[in-house]
Amino acid sequence: MAELETKKRVFSGIQPSGTFTLGNYVGAVRNWAPLQKEFDCIYSVVNMHAITVRQQPAALRRQTYEAAAMLLAAGINPKQSIVFVQSHVPQHTQLSWVLACNTMFGELSRMTQFKDKSQKHTENVNAGLFTYPVLMAADILLYGAHGVPVGEDQKQHVELARNIAQRFNNAYSDTFIVPEPYIQKIGGRIMSLQNPAAKMSKSDENINGFISMQDDADTIVRKFKRAVTDSEARVYRSKEKAGVSNLMDIYAAMTGKTDAEIEAEFEGKGYGDFKLAVAQSVIDVFAPLQQEHARILADKAELERILEDGAQRAQHLANKMLAKVYKKVGFV
Ligand code: TRP
């Protein structure tokens, strides 16, 4: 226990807003289990963030369990780390209000994700979409997290959390740990198989653009066969070869091979062989993961027990921080 308390803390969250993709796995979830060695880890399925975009209630419910099961299947140990569902810990929204009163309208207006999403969902530019980064800051600051493992696209939000923490600390005396983003470099940006200029996304209208964690081996092979490449038929990394470079990234992430090794392996071979090898490397990693995922989901009672235990442990920590904040701002 003493050892645990000296470890630095890490917090991250994943939205249950669709099926998981290869991009989510390589860019996020896969990196979370290894952090358990070095850090005291808290991982949340952030269902409150998910409803900033309209969700079907039944799908949201199912995807919340699926996301939690994915974290566990990826090797996160719920006895060691805290795994919980965001809406089970009301302190997130309570802290979020106090932080919102210490966040400037102008800061939120500059968030690129807000600008992107409000352009994409013009019919639903709701206030929650705008204050989304404040809730995210609350997630992080509530637990005194030092590190926040996220993809490049979330860096701006973590920087806002830093600014809010510093502003609060200056106004009310030292309260929050100022968190740092831990940006995943290798495989951090897996691109769409159909449009290598866009990030692989589960909301892609073209289902051939992404590999879902639920795709079976045949589907994975078919999607890679259709992946956009170029007409040169030579495997090497280049700015002009975005499609091939993306496939190399995926292959490297799955096998640990370097660019030089990959280029040598496919010297004199066409894209057909290369695409099949990439597909097989993904299948090899996904198959055991999918099996474990299915096993965890099959025992719903046990999964719920794990999440309830996680929520209790999270609430214990969250309560302490919230009480401190309430006192500092002068709430009686
Ligand atoms: N906004 C993050 C994403 O879409 C998810 C998230 C919510 C998160 N709260 C967080 C990530 C706190 C890290 C820390 O990927």
Side-chain angles (χ1 to χ4, degrees), residues 252-269:
M254 295 296 118
T255 62
K257 289 178 182 170
T258 64
D259 279 358
E261 285 167 344
I262 298 169
E263 287 170 14
E265 186 176 345
F266 297 100
E267 173 87 63
K269 293 186 186 155

Side-chain angles (χ1 to χ4, degrees), residues 11-15 46 49 132 136 139-140 148-150 154 157:
F11 183 98
S12 199
I14 186 142
Q15 291 198 54
V46 291
H49 279 103
Y132 176 116
M136 180 163 160
D139 296 342
I140 299 165
V148 186
V150 283
Q154 295 298 314
H157 289 161

Side-chain angles (χ1 to χ4, degrees), residues 123-135:
E123 75 306 332
N124 187 20
V125 185
N126 62 76
L129 196 63
F130 189 65
T131 57
Y132 176 116
V134 181
L135 180 59

Side-chain angles (χ1 to χ4, degrees), residues 28-314:
V29 174
R30 181 175 76 157
N31 310 299
W32 292 3
L35 289 169
Q36 295 177 116
K37 268 194 245 116
E38 210 183 317
F39 300 97
D40 188 0
C41 298
I42 306 179
Y43 297 125
S44 182
V45 179
V46 291
N47 55 347
M48 303 185 96
H49 279 103
I51 64 162
T52 54
V53 170
R54 185 78 67 213
Q55 303 289 334
Q56 294 294 334
L60 183 61
R61 217 169 275 131
R62 177 171 44 76
Q63 287 157 6
T64 301
Y65 288 118
E66 283 175 3
M70 186 51 66
L71 298 182
L72 304 176
I76 293 162
N77 175 358
K79 293 204 176 77
Q80 185 185 355
S81 303
I82 296 179
V83 179
F84 74 102
V85 176
Q86 189 184 31
S87 65
H88 292 174
V89 182
Q91 288 83 357
H92 289 242
T93 41
Q94 292 176 297
L95 179 62
S96 184
W97 176 256
V98 178
L99 298 184
C101 297
N102 289 277
T103 307
M104 299 302 120
F105 182 87
E107 286 179 305
L108 292 177
S109 309
R110 285 193 291 276
M111 294 292 115
T112 56
Q113 186 172 292
F114 171 70
K115 289 192 248 179
D116 289 350
K117 284 197 181 171
S118 48
Q119 269 165 28
K120 233 170 145 179
H121 305 273
T122 47
E123 75 306 332
N124 187 20
V125 185
N126 62 76
L129 196 63
F130 189 65
T131 57
Y132 176 116
V134 181
L135 180 59
M136 180 163 160
D139 296 342
I140 299 165
L141 301 184
L142 201 46
Y143 300 100
H146 299 83
V148 186
V150 283
E152 188 67 40
D153 64 318
Q154 295 298 314
K155 196 172 162 197
Q156 195 186 30
H157 289 161
V158 180
E159 270 155 14
L160 178 70
R162 289 173 62 86
N163 292 338
I164 297 173
Q166 277 160 344
R167 183 174 300 134
F168 190 98
N169 288 350
N170 287 335
Y172 299 100
S173 85
D174 230 8
T175 308
F176 295 124
I177 289 179
V178 180
E180 265 177 63
Y182 291 171
I183 306 292
Q184 178 60 25
K185 287 272 149 33
I186 307 154
R189 256 179 101 69
I190 297 293
M191 312 306 277
S192 161
L193 300 181
Q194 290 295 311
N195 172 16
K199 196 176 147 182
M200 181 180 282
S201 163
K202 50 200 167 198
S203 49
D204 196 331
E205 274 137 45
N206 186 344
I207 60 159
N208 289 319
F210 62 88
I211 301 289
S212 154
M213 289 300 300
Q214 268 138 32
D215 286 344
D216 60 19
D218 289 346
T219 308
I220 293 174
V221 169
R222 182 166 42 77
K223 286 183 177 178
F224 275 107
K225 275 190 181 161
R226 290 189 188 163
V228 168
T229 47
D230 52 66
S231 55
E232 194 189 18
R234 259 189 68 211
V235 176
Y236 66 98
R237 183 179 296 277
S238 154
K239 274 210 171 61
E240 279 83 63
K241 293 166 76 75
V244 168
S245 299
N246 186 40
L247 294 178
M248 286 178 72
D249 280 341
I250 295 172
Y251 195 53
M254 295 296 118
T255 62
K257 289 178 182 170
T258 64
D259 279 358
E261 285 167 344
I262 298 169
E263 287 170 14
E265 186 176 345
F266 297 100
E267 173 87 63
K269 293 186 186 155
Y271 288 158
D273 287 343
F274 176 49
K275 286 176 168 179
L276 275 182
V278 180
Q280 192 56 50
S281 73
V282 171
I283 293 165
D284 289 346
V285 172
F286 271 25
L289 203 65
Q290 287 171 331
Q291 231 174 42
E292 184 61 7
H293 189 237
R295 188 191 66 75
I296 294 165
L297 279 175
D299 190 350
K300 192 81 163 288
E302 171 65 5
L303 181 56
E304 278 176 339
R305 202 197 52 70
I306 288 171
L307 293 175
E308 199 183 308
D309 174 65
Q312 268 180 25
R313 286 154 64 207

